[in-house]
Amino acid sequence: MRLEQLNFHHLRYFWRVAKLGHLTRAAEELHTSQSAVSAQIRQLEKHLGEDLFIREGRRLSLSDTGQLVFTYADNIFGLSQEMLGRLEGRSAGVTRLRVGSVATLSRNYQENWLRPMLSDPGVALTLESGQLEGLLERLVQHQLDVVLANETVPADPDRPLHCRFLGSQAVSVVGPAHRWEAGSLRIPEDLEGIDMALPGPRHALRMRFDALCVSADVRPRLRAEVDDMAMLRLIARDSGWLSVLPEVVVQDELRNGVLVTVGQTTELVENFYAITTPQHHYGGLVDRLLNGSAATAQEEDGDITHQQ
């Protein structure tokens, strides 16, 4: 079969069914009937001379050939979406950089990392926030250029990703200056019965803090669990409770004296990572940011790569 014989319309129908794992949902998304989608896929199978699905009653599963074709189709249509995003930016005379960040990541850290782009008139930013898995799905579909996270990504040969270590940030127990003196507590030994606002239970920082307290047989009084760092910052500022936070989150409050660092431990740090795909096409913008981060973290282990 020659390339000019490949019908990309048929390939797109197959891609959506394989992606969604459901014929009905694919037909609804494509605004057509199930029979039309099935007919398009059968024509593609006829041209390729291979079955793409194993049909068991109403259940469809990818054949070995179907899995291979799906992998290539995912790249084809993902790159098409990336191309359209790039052209949209160029039509406005700029290069668009699309950044996702996990919801638990400090917005101050994100702004600091992006600061070189803020003064570049040739760059337009699209910033998204969400759960890591959803952001990674958009990344591999080329709908995002980079994902910022505070946890690394497990190696997966079916989804190769590059995970670059950006640096670490001290995590502190902070409290209102009118109630606490800087460095006045041992962490975690002096937190027994103390009112505290903590990151939510899914946050890696929370798990490390809980482990420290269990090891020391210390039980703070939990007053709030907050996933969003911006909200936890406000609670730290206004509640009067102690909070566990990366200092970058409350950098302004520490600088102006509203909050003080009540205590720290070297066992509590937050790591930051930039996650990209091996086949990225962002015109060097992410490289500029990564190189800038590398300069500030050159004494750390600089690059963790997960790929085939």
Side-chain angles (χ1 to χ4, degrees), residues 162-166 273-274 290 297 300-307:
H162 287 177
C163 188
R164 174 85 65 107
F165 175 70
L166 299 177
Y273 303 91
L290 292 178
E300 304 286 351
D301 292 331
D303 194 3
I304 306 166
T305 301
H306 294 154
Q307 56 183 319

Side-chain angles (χ1 to χ4, degrees), residues 96-110:
R96 185 167 298 278
L97 178 63
R98 302 162 301 173
V99 180
S101 66
V102 295
T104 57
L105 191 77
S106 159
R107 297 298 172 260
N108 280 342
Y109 179 83
Q110 184 177 355

Side-chain angles (χ1 to χ4, degrees), residues 200-225:
R202 294 177 297 180
H203 200 296
L205 173 57
R206 170 64 182 281
M207 291 185 279
R208 288 195 291 271
F209 177 77
D210 285 349
L212 277 178
C213 290
V214 169
S215 296
D217 194 24
V218 169
R219 291 169 295 277
R221 186 180 180 210
L222 179 61
R223 298 299 305 274
E225 296 178 297

Side-chain angles (χ1 to χ4, degrees), residues 176 178 231-241 253 258-259:
H178 68 274
M231 188 65 199
L232 187 53
R233 166 180 165 266
L234 295 178
I235 289 177
R237 187 187 69 189
D238 300 332
S239 67
W241 308 328
E253 287 78 9
V258 173
L259 294 174

Side-chain angles (χ1 to χ4, degrees), residues 61-92:
S61 58
L62 287 171
S63 66
D64 289 344
T65 299
Q67 184 62 59
L68 177 65
V69 173
F70 171 71
T71 300
Y72 281 101
D74 211 30
N75 283 329
I76 289 168
F77 293 110
L79 287 170
S80 297
Q81 290 171 329
E82 181 180 2
M83 177 192 69
L84 293 175
R86 290 283 171 267
L87 292 175
E88 179 184 356
R90 284 190 180 184
S91 67

